[in-house]
Amino acid sequence: MFTNVEIATAFEEMADLLELSGENAFRIRAYRNGAKAIRDLSESVAEMIHAGTDLTTIDGIGSTLAEKSAVLVKTGNLPQLDKLRKEVPPTLRDIMTVPGVGAKKAMKMFQELQVFDLATLRAACEAGLVASLKGFGEKTQQSILQNMQIAEKAALRLTIDGADDLVERLKAHMKKCPAVQRLDFAGSYRRGKETIGDLDLLVISDDNNSVMDHFAKFPAIQETIARGDTKMSIRVTDSFQVDLRVVAEKSWGAALQYFTGSKEHNVHIRGLAKSKGMKINEYGVFDADDESKVLAGADEESIYKLVGMPWVPPEMREDRGEFEPTIQKRFAKLIELSNIRGDLHMHTVATDGENTILEMAAAARSRGLEYIAITDHSKRVSMARGLDETRLLHQWEEIDAINAKSDGHFWIFKGVECDILEDGRMDIADECLAKADWVTASIHYGQRQPREQITQRILGALENPHVDAFSHPTGRLISRRDPYEVDLTAVIDAAKMHRKFLELNANPSRLDLNDINTAAAIAAGVTIVINTDAHSIPNLDLMKFGITQARRAGVVPSHVLNTLSLADIKKRLEIK
Ligand code: DGT
Ligand code: CA
Ligand code: CA
Ligand code: ZN
């Protein structure tokens, strides 16, 4: 059965390959829009097809894509895609992930220089061949080389949402195997890292062969890399590796602890064990003088207890403070998704969102939230039809009217995501900002300014009495764009001084602030706010990724503004 993600992935590949082969923009856009629509859909497209539902009722799906989806789901492949793959090397798509290299440049380099993947691109740049191509030049070659590093990293690791999706599919598949008694994912995935190099699947079973045979039948498998008695590695779609280890029940805790890592955390744990006369490995904890004496192994808790410390939440196993008693006090209280009471950053159809205020409010409420802030873009973000003062005031009247009918258990705050302009001024006039409940400032333009200039712009915004928060503070896009140059310590200090909130943006391609910066912010006494920045209803579910990142920073509910109840946040923000 095809998942929506798999169908969307096929359409995205179609779009890329069509673009490379010079197809017209309309057809390409149809595939991209369709892919996005299917990716964001909560119902299963495959199920809809089996039930005979007309797919063209889905926004963004026309009759061509509806028909292609049906072919894909019913036959397992798309003849057009197979044909394209023979005409255009699919690895050319990797080249298109290099920022600044589009389909035209990729195709030209393929035709003129036989560049067909990242490795041959690098070689051609280093040999100076790219610079000599018509329309390229030395400068283009230089920037391609620089941007390739970003693309190479992206090609190697999955972002947390991609990994999450693959994990769900692997779980569903492996649970169908009767020989599997218990399973869990260890490694960086269990630690909640923002990108995942490979997945580490642990299984309890006394029938290793049956488990491995079943693993080999995972639908998205590309190849088996290696298979031994207890360990097997496979490659799944897009060359991503999954390691399977089959362990005995009595070693489950030891294996889980060992393969969760991090390596640095484990080195520290092994040192502690050694100093107490014990030896620790993936099979258990043993008496160092007599290794036949097994002291622990079945569960993680007793392993940590033996080395003299509380069980460590996996997100904190990075050897970054988890061995200090003051940090250990937070372990039991680390923030959870259920602590979140509201979401203070989201967009609507007024700018680049896909849903109305009422739809976003209803969806948030059905997810158990008590309040949201509508924070559409300000006018500088013209690409998203950002709001000017007049449209903003109009939107806030609309929100007033909705709130007037509230039963008191849900509230919409009148907000705006106000751009900090290139010259440091706020994009919206102060007298208008003064009427908002919630102003979150952002930088979308002038991201290449020098560190001093960007920092000053942010400090200026934090001094503005109408500004409440600063969104996605470093502007990075994971694996796509580096953070802008900014003195974050100065930003954190200013936020503390002016009692402003710093955002941990939960979108898995942002996660900004990151774990380390979030830890620095709370250590300085700054309250953070964890927001989805939703542009559609399904985006509201991205909150969980922000929570994971916050847990990695040792965040507890009292560090986070939007764990407050509706009554308390109104008091805190002085909203009547
Ligand atoms: P990744 O896959 O790059 O996102 O990061 P991890 O942390 O999942 O790394 P991986 O898959 O190589 O190994 C999983 C865990 O297994 C790792 O976090 C710690 C443990 N481990 C693997 N190899 C070693 C090793 O040589 N020494 C120690 N102490 N631990 C290891
Ligand atoms: Ca791993
Ligand atoms: Ca691994
Ligand atoms: Zn936003």
Side-chain angles (χ1 to χ4, degrees):
M1 180 96 148
F2 273 85
T3 65
N4 287 0
V5 174
E6 285 165 323
I7 300 170
T9 306
F11 286 162
E12 274 154 13
E13 185 176 352
M14 275 293 284
D16 283 352
L17 296 184
L18 284 171
E19 196 178 344
L20 284 164
S21 60
E23 181 61 61
N24 83 60
F26 277 117
R27 264 191 84 193
I28 297 162
R29 198 163 326 127
Y31 278 104
R32 288 210 205 289
N33 290 346
K36 182 165 178 350
I38 289 174
R39 202 177 271 282
D40 286 347
L41 202 67
S42 45
E43 300 94 313
S44 152
V45 167
E47 266 168 33
M48 290 173 80
I49 289 166
H50 288 306
T53 312
D54 180 9
L55 292 185
T56 58
T57 55
I58 304 170
D59 248 3
I61 304 287
S63 54
T64 312
L65 261 72
E67 189 231 318
K68 296 256 180 342
S69 304
V71 170
L72 184 58
V73 165
K74 286 179 183 155
T75 68
N77 66 337
L78 263 184
Q80 292 88 346
L81 182 56
D82 294 344
K83 184 164 166 278
L84 272 169
R85 281 175 178 159
K86 289 196 190 95
E87 293 165 13
V88 183
T91 47
L92 273 183
R93 296 176 72 211
D94 298 345
I95 297 181
M96 286 168 64
T97 66
V98 177
V101 180
K104 284 212 182 78
K105 281 206 174 84
M107 212 51 198
K108 180 145 179 116
M109 292 189 288
F110 173 56
Q111 284 160 347
E112 310 253 4
L113 303 173
Q114 288 78 50
V115 161
F116 66 95
D117 61 12
L118 289 174
T120 48
L121 175 59
R122 175 178 292 285
C125 284
E126 282 168 357
L129 297 170
V130 171
S132 63
L133 271 188
K134 195 160 171 266
F136 281 66
E138 191 67 43
K139 230 174 133 189
T140 306
Q141 175 170 289
Q142 204 54 40
S143 90
I144 289 177
L145 265 177
Q146 249 163 32
N147 288 338
M148 266 186 79
Q149 287 174 353
I150 298 178
E152 281 167 344
K153 265 191 264 165
L156 290 175
R157 303 184 69 85
L158 278 186
T159 47
I160 188 170
D161 53 330
D164 220 41
D165 186 75
L166 180 56
V167 160
E168 287 312 315
R169 285 150 59 203
L170 281 162
K171 263 190 195 158
H173 175 71
M174 293 307 288
K175 278 183 178 159
K176 280 187 246 157
C177 174
V180 171
Q181 293 168 30
R182 182 171 180 179
L183 69 88
D184 211 340
F185 286 83
S188 52
Y189 176 77
R190 185 164 179 245
R191 302 200 309 281
K193 275 196 70 166
E194 58 199 31
T195 64
I196 312 295
D198 68 16
L199 283 174
D200 303 280
L201 170 59
L202 295 186
V203 166
I204 297 182
S205 177
D206 38 31
D207 183 357
N208 297 19
N209 262 324
S210 298
V211 173
M212 290 181 180
D213 287 346
H214 188 83
F215 190 49
K217 290 192 196 113
F218 182 60
I221 190 168
Q222 279 180 340
E223 60 162 334
T224 297
I225 302 166
R227 178 169 170 167
D229 294 336
T230 60
K231 187 187 162 178
M232 176 168 164
S233 292
I234 63 169
R235 224 183 279 292
V236 301
T237 313
D238 284 347
S239 305
F240 192 76
Q241 184 170 333
V242 184
D243 295 337
L244 163 74
R245 290 176 183 90
V246 188
V247 306
E249 197 171 355
K250 63 178 192 307
S251 295
W252 173 254
L256 195 57
Q257 199 287 323
Y258 181 90
F259 290 112
T260 295
S262 66
K263 214 180 252 178
E264 294 76 11
H265 175 86
N266 286 356
V267 166
H268 204 134
I269 292 283
R270 274 203 300 270
L272 287 178
K274 205 171 165 197
S275 71
K276 291 183 179 343
M278 296 179 292
K279 190 184 161 207
I280 212 166
N281 61 27
E282 64 262 52
Y283 302 104
V285 184
F286 307 89
D287 188 324
D289 298 323
D290 177 2
E291 289 191 21
S292 66
K293 269 197 206 151
V294 187
L295 306 174
D299 63 283
E300 278 192 331
E301 284 80 359
S302 40
I303 294 170
Y304 282 102
K305 203 168 166 197
L306 279 176
V307 299
M309 63 187 294
W311 178 83
V312 184
E315 297 92 338
M316 297 203 73
R317 300 185 191 174
E318 299 288 349
D319 198 11
R320 273 194 224 137
E322 71 268 30
F323 295 97
E324 295 162 24
T326 50
I327 301 285
Q328 289 172 358
K329 279 198 204 115
R330 296 191 201 154
F331 286 176
K333 306 183 288 188
L334 283 193
I335 188 161
E336 290 173 9
L337 185 58
S338 60
N339 299 128
I340 293 293
R341 315 279 282 265
D343 189 341
L344 297 173
H345 186 164
M346 66 187 65
H347 299 266
T348 73
V349 286
T351 60
D352 56 350
E354 289 168 19
N355 294 95
T356 62
I357 300 172
L358 271 177
E359 286 167 348
M360 292 306 275
R365 192 168 183 171
S366 79
R367 283 161 176 75
L369 298 185
E370 296 169 32
Y371 52 87
I372 57 172
I374 299 294
T375 54
D376 269 315
H377 289 291
S378 58
K379 56 183 180 277
R380 175 68 180 87
V381 191
S382 48
M383 259 171 51
R385 298 191 305 121
L387 304 179
D388 60 15
E389 285 80 355
T390 311
R391 286 176 68 209
L392 251 183
L393 291 171
H394 183 78
Q395 186 185 59
W396 292 344
E397 276 172 22
E398 208 180 322
I399 293 176
D400 278 337
I402 298 170
N403 280 336
K405 292 186 215 141
S406 162
D407 59 7
H409 297 296
F410 189 85
W411 200 257
I412 306 172
F413 293 121
K414 294 175 282 183
V416 59
E417 177 175 12
C418 182
D419 255 64
I420 306 170
L421 300 176
E422 290 92 324
D423 63 6
R425 285 178 306 129
M426 296 300 286
D427 192 19
I428 297 292
D430 274 350
E431 38 311 352
C432 180
L433 291 182
K435 298 196 174 87
D437 296 325
W438 173 256
V439 175
T440 191
S442 288
I443 285 193
H444 292 107
Y445 297 92
Q447 299 199 18
R448 290 175 180 216
Q449 289 174 354
R451 177 180 166 99
E452 178 64 13
Q453 193 177 359
I454 291 188
T455 306
Q456 284 309 321
R457 283 165 71 194
I458 299 168
L459 298 189
L462 291 172
E463 276 170 28
N464 183 314
H466 306 301
V467 169
D468 297 285
F470 181 45
S471 278
H472 36 74
T474 75
R476 67 137 175 200
L477 293 175
I478 293 174
S479 309
R480 275 189 285 155
R481 185 173 77 204
D482 284 335
Y484 36 72
E485 295 288 333
V486 56
D487 179 353
L488 209 61
T489 308
V491 171
I492 288 171
D493 290 346
K496 168 73 182 158
M497 179 159 70
H498 302 295
R499 303 186 65 230
K500 302 292 162 89
F501 307 99
L502 293 181
E503 183 178 72
L504 194 177
N505 191 295
N507 188 302
S509 55
R510 288 195 182 273
L511 294 171
D512 181 11
L513 298 173
N514 69 11
D515 46 3
I516 291 175
N517 295 333
T518 301
I522 61 171
V526 172
T527 301
I528 61 163
V529 53
I530 309 177
N531 293 323
T532 61
D533 198 354
H535 284 67
S536 68
I537 288 172
N539 283 175
L540 291 170
D541 296 321
L542 301 178
M543 185 62 85
K544 63 178 177 185
F545 299 118
I547 298 300
T548 300
Q549 187 80 316
R551 288 172 63 85
R552 290 176 55 79
V555 167
V556 302
S558 60
H559 292 132
V560 182
L561 175 67
N562 50 327
T563 59
L564 292 179
S565 68
L566 175 56
D568 288 341
I569 198 168
K570 278 189 172 178
K571 264 184 242 153
R572 174 81 184 254
L573 299 176
E574 295 172 8
I575 295 168
K576 312 250 156 29

